[in-house]
Amino acid sequence: MGQPVDHSTRAAWLATRIAEAARAEGLALGRDADEAHGHAACVALLRWSGCTANAPEFSVLMGDDVGGRDAMLSNGSAAEASALAGTLGDAALIHCEVAGEIARLLGLPAGIERAMHHLFETWDGRGKPAGLRGDAVPAVVFAVALAGDLEIFSRVHGLPAALRHIAERADAKYPQALVALATRHAADWMAALDEGAHEAMGDAAMTSPMTGPEWGGRGDPGRRAARSAPDLNGALAALHTPLELVADVIDLKLPWMTGLSRRVAEAARAAGAALGLDEPAQARLHRAGLLHGIGRASVPNALWTEGRRLGEADRERLRLMPYWTGRAARRLTALQEEAELASFVDERMDGSGAFRGASGAAIPVPARVLAAAAAWVTARTARPGAPALDVDAARAALQVEVSAGRLDAQATAAVCGADPRRATSTAPSPAAPSLAAVTLSARETEVLARIAIGESNKEAAKVLGISPATVRTHLESAFRKLGCNTRAAATLKAMTMGLLPV
C-alpha cells in the first residue's frame, strides 16, 4: 500500500482507542457494535492483508500499484477519493474475499472474519464490495477506517488538516458521531503514538499476534486499552500462523508466482539436507524460503512486465526488495535468523548482488543455498517473456552463473541435484481450521491451476485442448465448491488445502 512498516500497528492502536471511547460514550455505530472494541486492533492489523491479491488489477488501473495506492490513501479530497473508490469494484471484492479467507485460515472469531469481508463499506452505502449502509456494516469497519485515515492524514498533511479531511467524510465514509469523538481525542492520541506507545503495541502484536491486551503501555497518558473479551483472548492466545499461508499471500502479488515461495523453501531445505546441514539448519532454510519474497510488496507489478525498459529508479526498487524483506520479517521477533537469511537471497559471490553487495566469505553458507534455490526455482517457472526451463536447461543456466562467479558451486550443485523428499521436518505446519471436505475433479484441478497462474480462459483452453466455454464451466464448478468468487481467493484456498500442485 506504499505505507511505512509501522502504519498498521499505529492504526491498530488508534482503532482500539476509537472503539474504546465509542463504547465508553455509549455510541451504537453499526452492526455488532459490542464486538468492535474487542476486534478493532486485529481487524486493523489484517486490513491490508489482501493487498497482494488485487495488485494486478491496481496495476492495470493505476500503472503503479504501490505508488498509486499510496496516493489514493493520502488524498485529502473526499470527493476525489470517493470518485476513485467507485471505480474499484473488482479490486475491492478481491481484497475483501482474500482478507476474509486469511481470517478464516487463522481461526479468528466470526466477527473479525465478517468485518474483513466488508472492509470498504461506508456509512452512506456507497462503499464496496456489497454497498451495505449504516447499521448493516460491522461497526468495527468504521473504527478501523477512521483510524487508518487519521494515521495517514496526520502523517502526510499534519493533524489540523487531517481532522478537516476526516470531517469532510462524516456521515459518508463513517458516521458523524464517530468523527466528533475522534476529533475530541485525536491530539492526545497522536501525541501518545509519537511518544512511543505504538512501539510497545507493535512489539506485543508482532511477537504474539493480539495476545497482549495491555496495549496502552509506556508513553500512553490515558488509561490502558480495555481488555478484550475473554473468549477472544483465548482464541488469539493459541493463534499460530503457518508460514505457508504467509508465502501463499506473498505470491498472490503476481499470478505467475503462485506457489513459488513454497518451491524455493522446499528446494532450499532439500539442498541443505544434501550438504549435510542438520535439521534445525534445514528448517531455518525452509522458513527463510517461505519468507524470502515479502519485499516484492514494495515493488510495482509493472516492473515485471515483459519488454519494459527499466530506468535507474526501477532498478533501485528491485535492488531493495531483499532489504524490505529483512525489514518486514524482522518485525516477527521469533524469526530474526530467518529474516537475516532471507535478506541475502539476491546477494552474489562476486559482489554483484543486492542489496548489500556482499561477496565471498561475507555470504553465509545457508544464504548461498537460498540464493541458488531461488535462482533454480525462478529458472523452472514460466514468467512474462521467459518460458520455464526444463531440468537440463535450468542446470546449464545455473552453471553459467557458477562459472561467472555469481553462485556458489557447492550450493548450486546441491540445489540442482537434491531431491526435496530428502529434506526432513519435525514441525509440520498446522492444518487450517476445519472445513467441509472439498474434492475437485481432475479437470477442475487442471483448469484452476492454469487460471491460478494468471492465464485467461482462452489461454487455459489452448493449453488443455478444450474450449473456453468448457474452461468456464469447470472453473465455475471449482469456484462453487471452494465458496469463492475470485481467482485470488480460490487460489489461496486451494493452495492451503493442498488441492493445487506446488
Side-chain angles (χ1 to χ4, degrees):
M1 302 302 296
Q3 302 307 303
V5 292
D6 64 346
H7 162 67
S8 290
T9 50
R10 286 170 62 90
W13 190 91
L14 286 167
T16 298
R17 289 296 187 266
I18 292 169
E20 178 189 40
R23 187 174 71 165
E25 297 187 17
L27 299 181
L29 301 171
R31 182 178 177 183
D32 302 324
D34 290 341
E35 288 183 347
H37 170 256
H39 294 174
C42 196
V43 172
L45 285 172
L46 288 173
R47 185 187 187 198
W48 301 120
S49 59
C51 70
T52 55
N54 63 12
E57 285 70 24
F58 266 97
S59 184
V60 171
L61 182 67
M62 296 181 165
D64 181 342
D65 56 288
V66 179
R69 288 190 282 197
D70 180 21
M72 177 183 70
L73 294 178
S74 303
N75 190 345
S77 168
E80 291 179 9
S82 179
L84 178 57
T87 69
L88 304 179
D90 289 344
L93 174 61
I94 293 167
H95 185 122
C96 290
E97 191 167 54
V98 168
E101 180 62 17
I102 291 169
R104 185 195 68 80
L105 289 166
L106 291 176
L108 294 172
I112 293 176
E113 182 180 343
R114 183 170 55 251
M116 304 309 288
H117 280 286
H118 296 286
L119 286 169
F120 309 118
E121 307 288 1
T122 59
W123 183 255
D124 63 5
R126 297 182 179 180
K128 303 289 183 181
L132 301 184
R133 181 185 182 91
D135 291 347
V137 180
V140 68
V141 168
F142 300 130
V144 169
L146 180 54
D149 285 350
L150 179 58
E151 199 284 324
I152 293 172
F153 291 159
S154 62
R155 171 165 38 84
V156 175
H157 305 290
L159 182 57
L163 295 178
R164 290 197 302 272
H165 296 324
I166 287 170
E168 292 174 358
R169 291 159 169 80
D171 277 342
K173 187 173 184 179
Y174 18 69
Q176 169 64 45
L178 204 62
V179 172
L181 178 151
T183 300
R184 292 194 298 273
H185 297 285
D188 288 339
W189 289 340
M190 299 310 299
L193 274 179
D194 293 337
E195 288 170 9
H198 66 287
E199 294 177 7
M201 190 282 290
D203 291 343
M206 294 302 171
T207 302
S208 182
M210 293 300 298
T211 61
E214 299 182 34
W215 284 5
R218 65 179 185 273
D220 178 14
R223 63 185 182 278
R224 291 179 182 274
R227 292 179 180 272
S228 301
D231 60 335
L232 180 60
N233 276 335
L236 294 171
L239 181 64
H240 184 96
T241 305
L243 289 187
E244 284 79 5
L245 173 58
V246 177
D248 292 342
V249 173
I250 291 168
D251 292 347
L252 290 175
K253 180 89 161 76
L254 288 153
W256 63 265
M257 287 183 175
T258 297
L260 185 142
S261 294
R262 288 185 184 237
R263 296 194 294 276
V264 170
E266 290 301 322
R269 182 195 281 275
L275 290 171
L277 300 184
D278 60 22
E279 199 284 328
Q282 294 177 43
R284 280 193 295 274
L285 269 170
H286 187 264
R287 291 191 293 268
L290 293 172
L291 294 170
H292 85 280
I294 291 178
R296 286 198 295 269
S298 69
V299 178
N301 277 15
L303 267 62
W304 282 281
T305 300
E306 180 181 359
R308 177 185 172 107
R309 175 176 290 181
L310 299 182
E312 180 61 29
D314 294 333
R315 290 192 293 272
E316 182 67 6
R317 296 187 79 164
L318 291 169
R319 192 183 75 83
L320 288 175
M321 276 195 305
Y323 165 78
W324 288 114
T325 290
R327 282 289 305 278
R330 283 189 196 95
R331 294 177 69 80
L332 305 168
T333 55
L335 295 171
Q336 296 293 304
E337 291 183 75
E338 289 82 351
E340 181 72 5
L341 180 53
S343 73
F344 273 87
V345 69
D346 288 345
E347 302 292 350
R348 293 296 179 261
M349 297 298 292
D350 64 353
S352 63
F355 64 99
R356 300 173 183 83
S359 62
I363 304 176
V365 170
R368 302 178 194 186
V369 173
L370 183 62
W376 169 259
V377 171
T378 299
R380 300 275 292 128
T381 301
R383 56 198 187 280
L389 301 182
D390 62 26
V391 170
D392 290 338
R395 284 174 176 156
L398 263 66
Q399 188 55 50
V400 170
E401 295 298 295
V402 170
S403 299
R406 289 187 285 269
L407 291 178
D408 178 81
Q410 285 186 307
T412 302
V415 166
C416 292
D419 180 349
R421 292 170 296 183
R422 293 181 56 185
T424 59
S425 175
T426 60
S429 297
S434 61
L435 185 71
V438 174
T439 302
L440 300 181
S441 70
R443 185 59 92 182
E444 288 167 351
T445 300
E446 288 178 329
V447 168
L448 183 58
R450 305 310 305 181
I451 299 303
I453 60 174
E455 290 184 353
S456 66
N457 288 6
K458 185 178 293 187
E459 290 169 332
K462 183 177 181 180
V463 171
L464 297 174
I466 56 181
S467 72
T470 301
V471 167
R472 183 170 60 253
T473 298
H474 287 302
L475 189 61
E476 289 174 352
S477 177
F479 277 24
R480 185 171 59 254
K481 290 179 179 180
L482 291 166
C484 296
N485 296 298
T486 64
R487 176 202 63 82
T491 298
L492 179 62
K493 181 174 283 190
M495 286 291 293
T496 57
M497 296 179 70
L499 298 176
L500 286 181
V502 176

